[in-house]
Amino acid sequence: MKQKKRATIYDIAKKLNIAASSVSRALNNIGNINEETRKLILSTATELKYKRNTLASNLRKGQSKTIGIVVPRINQNFFSNVIAGIEEASYQKGYNLVICQSNESHVKEIQCVNTLINQHVDCIVISVSAEGGDYSHLQNVIDSGIQLIQFDRVASELKTLKVLNDTEQVSMEAVSHMIEQGYKRIALLEGPQNLDIFIQRKAGYLNALKKNNMPIINELVVENAWTKELGATATRALLNLPNPPDAIFASTSDFSALGVLEVASAMGIKVPSELGICGYSNEAFTEITSPSITTIDQFSIYMGKSIADLYFREMDQEESSRTPITISIKPELIIRASTSRKTQSGK
Amino acid sequence: MKQKKRATIYDIAKKLNIAASSVSRALNNIGNINEETRKLILSTATELKYKRNTLASNLRKGQSKTIGIVVPRINQNFFSNVIAGIEEASYQKGYNLVICQSNESHVKEIQCVNTLINQHVDCIVISVSAEGGDYSHLQNVIDSGIQLIQFDRVASELKTLKVLNDTEQVSMEAVSHMIEQGYKRIALLEGPQNLDIFIQRKAGYLNALKKNNMPIINELVVENAWTKELGATATRALLNLPNPPDAIFASTSDFSALGVLEVASAMGIKVPSELGICGYSNEAFTEITSPSITTIDQFSIYMGKSIADLYFREMDQEESSRTPITISIKPELIIRASTSRKTQSGK
DNA sequence: TATTCAATTGCAATCGATTGCCTAAATTTA
DNA sequence: TAAATTTAGGCAATCGATTGCAATTGAATA
């Protein structure tokens, strides 16, 4: 489909028999322009249905007023919320969003980042894929003079702006809460340990055990129980141990926690009295399972806004005063029925 | 933050003492270029960390390889899935996505569309906001020679490409199914009637009643029960009628259906035996409520892919042979426990 | 040896908007 | 009235990549 010829500032200039530069000045409302000619130009512009060619403008100005975003999956609750938050904050500043998804593939992530560099976006916001690997493509972003902001899943070795959750702290709180509820053998479903967030979630778990003088039992720690299905499989194995756990912290996700709940129900194990369950992310469904699932809210929309704000704040800084800031957002432990066996307040 | 100077084709040309045009030809692998100089150019390009400036390229070529998307909310399941589908299909073709959300506001929708026109996107994909209003901004898109594709919520009077669900048909199926299950007084929670999709859902409901020779009872049709809260409120009113319904088709959304379910549970009304419930959208949670909720799957990811495919197919067409195609995707009625009181197969 | 042809590569215009510099007219001030 | 300012608006370069056309070169053909 071919674009029809669109009116340019030259068309307006020609029609009014003036210079294109005057048209530009009038449209941007800068420089000295006679008020009457300005109005004339403006009305001619609407008459010709003139639309500024942002491409040309950006090329000339050397900036694109565009923020590029790379996330593992656009349609995952957490990410789509972050994106919505970024959109809202940056729209007000006249910025646009170009969005890519890496599908958790390192290769696609690299391609996405390169496309965005080519697009001359002003800033790239990224949460790296689970696959992990070499992060030279991110170094590339920095070398290209593009602001890089990492969030949630970050390559910590890179000195960039970061927006994170205080994952370790809240994980510790979650496990401490379970201990307080009298659970003695708490299992952990852990995520891929090449991602910091999962390392931290585990650290929080270990810390909580240590602080409460509880032993670390290796057979209760299960790797990569990431999805509902994997969570279910892991749970089946755990509950069939000679000495099964009496609680499970599904640190990978709420989906995993859901898998735990379903298996427990199927096996006739009562939640929370015989098994405590805690998930991660505060997915909408955690509120409506029976029992409802204790989980952790990451304030995803707010996180998106923080990312955008951080960028705009940095942009105003002098080049010299720039330091790799890390913003930490404190997530909230949401205690629900699945871990409430002492205080029956949680319904 | 200022961008550092990036290498251009001129830098490469200067370094090798050749013309920029040759560099361009080499990088694009077009025209006749000596294989050796080509290799030399390519290696110099990597050496200088050359990245093509897509802005300049697009300006020159008069296309942007970008698809603009406007949806009411990025972080709504249905929309984020459609976007994910579009992304996947268009990424393969080397297209990028610029995404905006209208937040259901007509004014913001217009602004978004205008920004996208300025950006010279090749195609605009839109699902209009619930607020509705005048659609001249969409006509504008067409007049600018930009391909316009509407999906789901469309301004039907505009002759554009459209990708829709066969909403009326599936709604009829849903209500017919409820009738078959022996429900006699089926209520409808309807959405804003300025949007076609909601008109069609209602039409399906009415049709099903008519076909089965059942009376249309006005007091059982409730306007704008859109959210969980509104669904709950409506349900409370309905169930307190002297002659309450024995089933509710929450045609607005699954959230609304969830509101229905919660109120019914709170009032001690048994689902599905005393009250049947059917939602719309197949949100993840509908599967895990107790009882699970009968709903309608819209194949949102597939819809996204269809949109992208439609665009690429149209793009290859001759200008002349272009007609306003409408693609209709048949949604699927997913029968679950909340309406299954005859066949106990659905648990 | 002269002519033709194809392969390479250079030149310069172009896409549309912006902006530094400059001129001319209008206005103010001395 | 002359000089100094201010205001309005034109000229032309620029951003970086692409592409039609022309020029050069060497090889092939007559």
Side-chain angles (χ1 to χ4, degrees):
Chain A
M1 169 143 183
K2 282 210 194 86
Q3 313 256 132
K4 285 170 205 161
K5 279 154 276 146
R6 286 160 42 165
T8 70
I9 52 169
Y10 295 100
D11 297 322
I12 299 177
K14 200 176 293 170
K15 177 147 190 183
L16 296 178
N17 218 18
I18 56 176
S21 48
S22 300
V23 177
S24 172
R25 279 188 272 256
L27 293 171
N28 291 298
N29 209 4
I30 49 169
N32 299 320
I33 285 278
N34 184 289
E35 191 50 29
E36 273 182 37
T37 34
R38 208 180 76 87
K39 276 186 186 156
L40 195 58
I41 290 171
L42 258 40
S43 70
T44 317
T46 23
E47 186 193 330
L48 294 181
K49 295 196 177 181
Y50 168 81
K51 306 264 175 192
R52 164 191 280 107
N53 186 329
T54 319
L55 257 51
S57 172
N58 290 342
L59 171 61
R60 176 61 226 252
K61 293 203 282 198
Q63 54 141 220
S64 63
K65 285 231 170 190
T66 296
I67 295 174
I69 300 181
V70 184
V71 292
R73 293 227 135 80
I74 297 173
N75 54 342
Q76 221 165 69
N77 224 274
F78 171 69
F79 293 117
S80 69
N81 278 331
V82 172
I83 294 173
I86 298 178
E87 204 277 346
E88 200 177 316
S90 54
Y91 176 80
Q92 296 171 337
K93 297 266 187 177
Y95 275 68
N96 278 101
L97 261 41
V98 175
I99 299 178
C100 310
Q101 60 183 344
S102 65
N103 279 325
E104 303 284 10
S105 145
H106 189 63
V107 172
K108 192 172 172 201
E109 177 180 308
I110 295 175
Q111 295 175 329
C112 289
V113 167
N114 283 333
T115 317
L116 293 175
I117 295 179
N118 291 354
Q119 288 270 334
H120 271 232
V121 296
D122 295 338
C123 169
I124 292 181
V125 175
I126 190 170
S127 196
V128 300
S129 78
E131 215 180 75
D134 172 57
Y135 290 119
S136 58
H137 58 299
L138 296 185
Q139 186 56 51
N140 245 316
V141 172
I142 302 171
D143 294 343
S144 301
I146 296 176
Q147 182 63 273
L148 178 66
I149 303 183
Q150 300 190 79
F151 76 97
D152 196 50
R153 302 192 200 164
V154 302
S156 53
E157 64 267 36
L158 290 173
K159 286 189 180 147
T160 68
L161 297 178
K162 288 171 192 146
V163 178
L164 304 169
N165 274 142
D166 191 345
T167 304
E168 184 171 338
Q169 171 63 25
V170 78
S171 298
M172 202 185 77
E173 274 176 39
V175 177
S176 298
H177 154 73
M178 291 167 103
I179 294 172
E180 200 185 306
Q181 290 290 312
Y183 294 107
K184 303 287 182 205
R185 295 178 63 82
I186 303 172
L188 173 73
L189 306 189
E190 69 175 25
Q193 296 290 305
N194 59 326
L195 288 181
D196 275 5
I197 50 164
F198 293 120
I199 296 177
Q200 288 158 13
R201 292 180 196 183
K202 185 177 187 177
Y205 164 82
L206 295 175
N207 258 339
L209 294 185
K210 202 174 297 171
K211 279 206 182 166
N212 289 276
N213 295 316
M214 290 175 65
I216 292 157
I217 305 162
N218 284 326
E219 63 176 6
L220 296 186
V221 175
V222 184
E223 284 176 3
N224 280 345
W226 172 277
T227 61
K228 182 174 136 184
E229 286 67 31
L230 291 172
T233 313
T235 305
R236 238 168 275 132
L238 283 170
L239 294 179
N240 281 321
L241 286 176
N243 207 346
D246 59 0
I248 298 181
F249 177 31
S251 82
T252 43
S253 71
D254 282 331
F255 292 98
S256 172
L258 181 60
V260 176
L261 179 57
E262 288 185 358
V263 168
S265 304
M267 291 174 72
I269 294 175
K270 293 206 179 67
V271 178
S273 57
E274 292 167 15
L275 184 74
I277 302 176
C278 178
Y280 206 110
S281 279
N282 196 20
E283 294 282 343
F285 66 77
T286 53
E287 202 180 352
I288 56 175
T289 49
S290 40
S292 58
I293 300 175
T294 294
T295 186
I296 288 158
D297 190 285
Q298 303 180 272
F299 298 108
S300 40
I301 297 184
Y302 176 76
M303 197 167 197
K305 283 186 190 159
S306 305
I307 292 169
D309 289 346
L310 178 60
Y311 170 62
F312 293 121
R313 211 182 317 144
E314 274 300 292
M315 209 179 43
D316 295 335
Q317 294 289 302
E318 283 302 313
E319 187 118 1
S320 50
S321 71
R322 220 174 306 131
T323 38
I325 297 174
T326 295
I327 288 185
S328 189
I329 295 172
K330 190 162 169 2
E332 187 184 2
L333 174 64
I334 302 196
I335 298 173
R336 296 217 185 87
S338 70
T339 56
S340 304
R341 66 176 180 184
K342 261 191 178 169
T343 48
Q344 286 301 83
S345 64
K347 190 209 161 178
Chain B
M1 169 144 186
K2 281 208 194 89
Q3 312 258 133
K4 286 169 203 159
K5 277 155 273 145
R6 301 195 338 201
T8 70
I9 51 170
Y10 295 101
D11 297 322
I12 300 177
K14 201 176 292 170
K15 178 150 191 181
L16 296 177
N17 217 18
I18 55 176
S21 49
S22 298
V23 177
S24 173
R25 278 187 274 257
L27 293 170
N28 291 298
N29 210 4
I30 49 168
N32 298 319
I33 285 278
N34 185 290
E35 190 52 28
E36 272 181 38
T37 35
R38 209 180 76 86
K39 277 185 186 155
L40 195 59
I41 289 170
L42 258 40
S43 69
T44 317
T46 21
E47 186 193 329
L48 295 181
K49 296 199 178 178
Y50 169 80
K51 304 265 173 193
R52 163 192 280 110
N53 186 328
T54 319
L55 256 50
S57 172
N58 290 342
L59 172 61
R60 175 61 227 249
K61 294 203 284 198
Q63 54 142 220
S64 63
K65 285 230 171 193
T66 296
I67 296 174
I69 300 180
V70 184
V71 293
R73 294 228 135 79
I74 297 173
N75 54 343
Q76 220 165 71
N77 223 276
F78 171 69
F79 292 117
S80 69
N81 278 331
V82 171
I83 293 173
I86 298 177
E87 204 278 346
E88 201 177 317
S90 53
Y91 176 79
Q92 297 171 337
K93 297 267 186 174
Y95 274 68
N96 279 100
L97 260 40
V98 175
I99 299 178
C100 310
Q101 59 183 345
S102 65
N103 279 324
E104 302 284 11
S105 143
H106 189 64
V107 172
K108 192 171 173 202
E109 177 180 308
I110 294 174
Q111 294 174 332
C112 290
V113 167
N114 283 333
T115 317
L116 292 174
I117 296 179
N118 290 353
Q119 289 270 334
H120 270 233
V121 296
D122 294 339
C123 170
I124 291 181
V125 175
I126 189 170
S127 196
V128 301
S129 77
E131 215 180 75
D134 172 57
Y135 291 118
S136 58
H137 58 300
L138 296 184
Q139 186 56 49
N140 244 314
V141 172
I142 303 169
D143 294 343
S144 301
I146 296 176
Q147 183 63 274
L148 178 65
I149 303 183
Q150 302 190 77
F151 76 96
D152 196 51
R153 303 192 199 162
V154 303
S156 53
E157 64 267 36
L158 290 173
K159 284 188 182 150
T160 68
L161 298 177
K162 289 173 193 145
V163 178
L164 305 170
N165 275 142
D166 192 345
T167 304
E168 184 172 338
Q169 170 64 26
V170 79
S171 299
M172 202 185 78
E173 274 176 37
V175 176
S176 298
H177 154 73
M178 292 167 102
I179 294 172
E180 199 185 305
Q181 290 290 314
Y183 294 107
K184 303 288 182 202
R185 294 178 63 82
I186 304 173
L188 172 74
L189 305 189
E190 70 176 25
Q193 296 289 304
N194 59 324
L195 288 180
D196 275 5
I197 50 165
F198 294 120
I199 296 177
Q200 287 157 13
R201 293 180 195 181
K202 185 177 186 177
Y205 164 82
L206 296 175
N207 257 338
L209 293 185
K210 201 174 297 172
K211 279 206 181 165
N212 290 278
N213 294 316
M214 291 175 66
I216 293 157
I217 306 163
N218 284 326
E219 64 176 4
L220 295 187
V221 175
V222 183
E223 284 177 3
N224 281 344
W226 173 279
T227 61
K228 182 173 135 185
E229 285 67 31
L230 290 172
T233 312
T235 305
R236 238 168 276 133
L238 282 170
L239 294 180
N240 280 321
L241 285 176
N243 207 346
D246 58 1
I248 297 180
F249 176 31
S251 82
T252 43
S253 72
D254 282 331
F255 292 99
S256 170
L258 180 60
V260 176
L261 178 56
E262 288 185 357
V263 167
S265 304
M267 292 175 72
I269 294 174
K270 293 204 180 68
V271 178
S273 57
E274 293 168 15
L275 184 74
I277 302 175
C278 178
Y280 206 109
S281 279
N282 195 20
E283 294 282 343
F285 67 77
T286 51
E287 202 180 351
I288 58 175
T289 49
S290 41
S292 58
I293 300 175
T294 294
T295 185
I296 288 158
D297 190 285
Q298 302 180 272
F299 299 107
S300 40
I301 298 185
Y302 176 75
M303 196 167 197
K305 283 185 190 159
S306 305
I307 292 169
D309 289 347
L310 177 60
Y311 169 63
F312 294 120
R313 211 182 317 143
E314 274 300 292
M315 210 179 41
D316 296 335
Q317 293 290 302
E318 284 301 314
E319 187 117 1
S320 50
S321 71
R322 219 175 307 131
T323 39
I325 297 173
T326 294
I327 288 185
S328 190
I329 295 171
K330 191 165 168 0
E332 187 184 2
L333 174 65
I334 302 196
I335 298 173
R336 295 216 185 88
S338 70
T339 56
S340 304
R341 66 175 181 187
K342 261 191 177 169
T343 49
Q344 287 302 83
S345 63
K347 192 211 156 179

